[in-house]
Amino acid sequence: MRDRGPVLLRTARSLTANPSDAEDLLQTALTKTYLAWERIEDHRALDGYVRRALVNTRTSQWRKRKVDEFACEELPEPDPTPAPDPAEQQVLRDAMWRAVVRLPDRQRAMVVLRYYEDLSEAQTAEVLGVSIGTVKSAVSRALGKLREDPELSRAA
């Protein structure tokens, strides 16, 4: 759980709209995994098992959900801040990825491991066989380049 928790929580958050519900969903899936521990044949494939438990649990919750409707005389207040446009978010994600791809190989590897794979500085250093200081300085330079990228400033 210590190693894979953030990744599994990210999966749970993609299945629910509320971060608290995502934490509850992950806890339930981990409990189900623990209870089925003896039946799991390949313990190296636990990520897949927990992900399947997340999806199945969420599907069960969705099916059991009751929707209560109440008639009222006043409509609820509209959300003061509109939700971000998914198309604009995708444009920004695409621009960010293109900017990351333009980074030098070493910086790109460090940015991907740190921010896309959510590894710590120490884990990134270990994977790449460099010091933690090298990771810190290279990531700092890469982030500076990303901040100055003209395509990103247009997309934002």
Side-chain angles (χ1 to χ4, degrees):
M1 176 59 194
R2 280 186 215 115
D3 294 336
R4 303 303 295 159
V7 173
L8 294 171
L9 183 57
R10 197 168 41 229
T11 302
R13 283 186 178 160
S14 70
L15 296 171
T16 64
N18 183 332
S20 297
D21 290 342
E23 291 172 0
D24 292 342
L25 178 63
L26 178 58
Q27 187 65 41
T28 302
L30 290 172
T31 302
K32 289 181 178 184
T33 303
Y34 176 76
L35 293 174
W37 189 258
E38 299 299 323
R39 293 181 309 216
I40 300 174
E41 294 177 19
D42 185 7
H43 289 153
R44 292 173 302 184
L46 284 176
D47 272 8
Y49 189 90
V50 175
R51 281 192 179 99
R52 175 50 55 193
L54 284 168
V55 171
N56 290 347
T57 302
R58 182 64 184 136
T59 302
S60 295
Q61 291 171 347
W62 177 77
R63 286 180 179 155
K64 291 177 186 176
R65 184 183 65 173
K66 288 185 178 180
V67 178
D68 295 326
E69 293 183 21
F70 300 99
C72 61
E73 296 198 18
E74 293 182 28
L75 292 175
E77 291 295 319
D79 189 14
T81 57
D85 181 12
E88 289 178 13
Q89 288 181 319
Q90 188 61 46
V91 166
L92 184 57
R93 276 190 219 104
D94 291 344
M96 176 59 79
W97 186 248
R98 285 191 303 276
V100 168
V101 169
R102 285 191 297 271
L103 291 172
D105 291 343
R106 187 172 173 161
Q107 288 179 1
R108 180 181 39 212
M110 291 182 191
V111 167
V112 167
L113 290 173
R114 283 285 290 128
Y115 298 105
Y116 284 87
E117 294 297 323
D118 201 27
L119 296 184
S120 68
E121 290 167 342
Q123 291 169 323
T124 302
E126 184 179 332
V127 167
L128 296 175
V130 297
S131 71
I132 295 174
T134 301
V135 171
K136 288 180 180 182
S137 62
V139 167
S140 176
R141 283 191 304 276
L143 293 177
K145 287 181 182 180
L146 292 174
R147 281 186 203 100
E148 295 171 1
D149 189 288
E151 187 178 341
L152 285 178
S153 60
R154 281 192 305 257

